[in-house]
Amino acid sequence: MKYRHAHHAGNFADVHKHVTLLALLSALQRKDKGFLYLETHAGRGVYDLADSAEAGAGVARLEGAPCTAPELRHYLERLAQARRECGSSRLYPGSPWLAARALRAQDRAVFVEALPEEARALRRALSSAREARVRVETGDGFERLRAALPPPERRALTLIDPPYEETQRDFERVRAGIAETVRRFPTGVVAVWYPVKDARDTERWLAAVARQTERAALVAELWLYPRDSRVALNGSGMLIVNPPYQLDVQMRAWLAELCERLGGAAAGGSAVRPLAPARPA
Ligand SMILES: C[S@@+](CC[C@H](N)C(=O)[O-])C[C@H]1O[C@@H](n2cnc3c(N)ncnc32)[C@H](O)[C@@H]1O
């Protein structure tokens, strides 16, 4: 496996994913009851933006001028907090760092990472988070889904964020992973990041997911280039199964602002739409 997230850290897709993740965590925390946060492809937790080739067209475009949407402001506050705590203005917090800091005493997290050195770095990055609430496992995130679900808390948010290095295989494993997650725990929230490279391929994959997912689901996409152009990554997608109430409304507002701030106003765009209607229980 050649993929190293450090090269991509803080790019526009990371920003899209991390703003969405923080909004999902806040939505779950509207209820007092604790939940499991499960992340199948965790990475190393914190990144040095000096190693990133893509942050200039991502997080860097968001800094320096205030945002209007509360979700974007919340994300920028967490970014500033991470930099303060770690004493580096070049640091970029990954999803495990953001999630671990957001957990309450009644919540817990399991992070899975395949590469042993990335998992070791993640343990170091999370060492100040309380042991009992946060566990880092080295292994295959798709396999670990089975062990972790259903959670005893009966509430869960699962983030599936593979590298798509072997694009077709990862898309297929994600589709099967969503099916497995929903089968094991039908009411859990599942958030999946996916790359938008060719819009027709994306639509075919989403149609296959929709055919198998008998739960309400939302698709939120942000693209900076026309969706059929041949650049490496045209857009970033988030698929959310069992989305929290009103998430779609919030997303429409913050995604449009994010798209503009990231320079996507001319050739890009954003869209939030249902994947599949909820069927009666
Ligand atoms: C896109 S990065 C994760 C970024 C992280 N979620 C974040 O937003 O900060 C994908 C990670 O998955 C790891 N990985 C690849 N295949 C995996 C697998 N089958 N199971 C678990 N981790 C895997 C890679 O080593 C890499 O660190």
Side-chain angles (χ1 to χ4, degrees):
M1 188 163 53
K2 292 202 192 94
Y3 183 89
R4 291 291 177 282
H5 193 65
H7 184 75
H8 309 282
N11 68 3
F12 77 96
D14 253 9
V15 176
H16 177 208
K17 172 178 58 186
H18 295 151
V19 174
T20 307
L21 171 63
L22 288 172
L24 286 169
L25 289 164
S26 298
L28 264 84
Q29 291 178 341
R30 288 199 290 253
K31 287 188 185 159
D32 284 339
K33 191 165 170 14
F35 60 86
L36 166 69
Y37 174 69
L38 170 65
E39 187 165 334
T40 56
H41 295 73
R44 60 189 295 120
V46 289
Y47 300 89
D48 184 342
L49 287 183
D51 301 327
S52 173
E54 299 175 5
V59 63
R61 292 199 171 159
L62 225 62
E63 296 175 276
C67 291
T68 306
E71 292 79 7
L72 299 181
R73 292 210 304 268
H74 182 50
Y75 164 77
L76 288 173
E77 281 160 19
R78 289 289 159 269
L79 177 66
Q81 180 196 3
R83 289 176 173 173
R84 264 195 317 275
E85 279 189 26
C86 301
S88 165
S89 58
R90 288 192 329 218
L91 177 134
Y92 187 77
S95 45
W97 196 98
L98 293 167
R101 287 298 181 287
L103 295 186
R104 306 164 300 181
Q106 62 268 46
D107 306 323
R108 73 186 168 98
V110 174
F111 299 105
V112 189
E113 166 57 47
L115 289 179
E117 77 260 29
E118 297 293 276
R120 274 195 297 278
L122 179 56
R123 282 190 195 98
R124 282 197 300 277
L126 300 182
S127 57
S128 62
R130 265 183 282 152
E131 275 299 308
R133 288 192 300 141
V134 173
R135 201 168 77 231
V136 176
E137 298 180 359
T138 309
D140 183 329
F142 292 115
E143 297 291 327
R144 300 291 168 107
L145 279 172
R146 291 193 194 100
L149 299 172
E153 295 91 342
R154 310 303 302 173
R155 297 186 75 209
L157 166 60
T158 303
L159 175 65
I160 303 178
D161 180 26
Y164 296 91
E165 196 177 21
E166 295 173 71
T167 311
Q168 283 319 315
R169 182 167 181 263
D170 269 352
F171 268 116
E172 184 45 34
R173 291 195 88 191
V174 170
R175 189 201 55 71
I178 296 169
E180 178 76 6
T181 308
V182 172
R183 191 180 66 74
R184 299 190 76 84
F185 188 46
T187 57
V189 180
V190 188
V192 174
W193 181 82
Y194 59 89
V196 180
K197 292 182 177 172
D198 180 317
R200 283 160 307 183
D201 291 344
T202 307
E203 288 310 315
R204 267 194 292 275
W205 177 74
L206 286 171
V209 175
R211 279 195 294 276
Q212 70 175 28
T213 308
E214 298 189 353
R215 308 293 303 182
L218 269 185
V219 172
E221 289 181 355
L222 166 72
W223 61 98
L224 300 186
Y225 309 95
R227 286 196 288 183
D228 51 0
S229 58
R230 290 270 163 205
V231 298
L233 186 66
N234 295 327
S236 160
M238 291 292 302
L239 168 68
I240 297 155
V241 181
N242 293 321
Y245 177 63
Q246 293 265 302
L247 183 73
D248 54 339
V249 178
Q250 296 168 309
M251 272 183 163
R252 279 190 192 98
W254 97 61
L255 263 187
E257 184 178 351
L258 188 56
C259 182
E260 199 181 317
R261 289 292 298 271
L262 291 171
S270 64
V272 179
R273 61 188 161 92
L275 175 73
R279 294 191 186 169

